[in-house]
């Protein structure tokens, strides 16, 4: 087994550590206020007959943010859906080429569009300090909309690491 070039190993390790792993650990903490909010709602509603008007909005925004921001960790861990029935039977070189082509042709164009559309929507939302009119307490939704371009950037950075690993597998026939 050959040693990968130092720059490649260092780049992949930095992205995987500081984007994939660290973001996953940080964003996993969003579960605590989500569980607290839902637990508080259940206790207030069923024990004290005093439902809240904010618990649904908080849980909706926190869960949506958790889902979007957790996608980077999922990509890092290889947890996204793949048709493994055929893929696993291919040699590592073929797997590397398939992954590399799909990252370049599908993943990056999709993430760029996701970033541009989400970024435009988030900027507009911040400009007007958008609030939800579907709720009596009218929570601000501009931070929630900002999650979309942030998630796209994190996914593109982690995707770069995965693309480098794919090219390495395609060219060397071994995983990095």
């Amino acid at each position: 087994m050959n040693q990968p070039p130092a720059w490649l190993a260092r780049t992949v390790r930095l992205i995987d550590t500081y984007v994939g792993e660290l973001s996953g650990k940080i964003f996993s903490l969003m579960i605590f206020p989500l569980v607290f909010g839902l637990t508080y709602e259940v206790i207030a509603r069923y024990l004290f007959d005093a439902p809240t008007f904010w618990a649904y909005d908080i849980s909706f925004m926190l869960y949506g943010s958790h889902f979007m921001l957790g996608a980077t960790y999922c990509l890092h861990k290889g947890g996204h859906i793949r048709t493994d029935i055929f893929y696993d039977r291919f040699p590592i070189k073929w797997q590397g080429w398939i992954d590399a082509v799909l990252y370049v042709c599908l993943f990056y164009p999709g993430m760029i569009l996701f970033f541009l559309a989400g970024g435009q929507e988030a900027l507009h939302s911040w400009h007007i300090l958008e609030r939800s009119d579907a709720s009596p307490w009218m929570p601000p939704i501009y931070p929630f909309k900002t999650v979309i371009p942030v998630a796209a950037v994190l996914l593109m950075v982690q995707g770069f690491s995965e693309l480098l690993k794919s090219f390495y597998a395609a060219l060397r026939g071994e995983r990095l």
Side-chain angles (χ1 to χ4, degrees), residues 160-173:
F160 182 67
S161 172
E162 302 304 319
L163 180 63
L164 290 175
K165 291 185 245 184
S166 298
F167 277 129
Y168 184 82
L171 296 173
R172 296 276 182 97

Side-chain angles (χ1 to χ4, degrees), residues 60-80:
F60 182 79
M61 289 188 228
L62 281 172
Y63 180 71
S65 299
H66 184 261
F67 177 82
M68 294 292 295
L69 295 168
T72 302
Y73 181 74
C74 189
L75 179 63
H76 167 61
K77 292 297 185 182
H80 289 287

Side-chain angles (χ1 to χ4, degrees), residues 120-176:
Q120 184 178 17
E121 190 66 31
L123 285 174
H124 176 69
S125 187
W126 275 92
H127 180 71
I128 64 171
L129 297 176
E130 187 175 9
R131 300 180 85 74
S132 172
D133 57 0
S135 173
W137 71 296
M138 296 180 63
I141 58 174
Y142 45 91
F144 180 59
K145 287 190 174 183
T146 304
V147 167
I148 296 168
V150 169
V153 167
L154 290 171
L155 279 164
M156 285 191 282
V157 173
Q158 184 61 46
F160 182 67
S161 172
E162 302 304 319
L163 180 63
L164 290 175
K165 291 185 245 184
S166 298
F167 277 129
Y168 184 82
L171 296 173
R172 296 276 182 97
E174 59 188 35
R175 301 256 179 236
L176 181 60

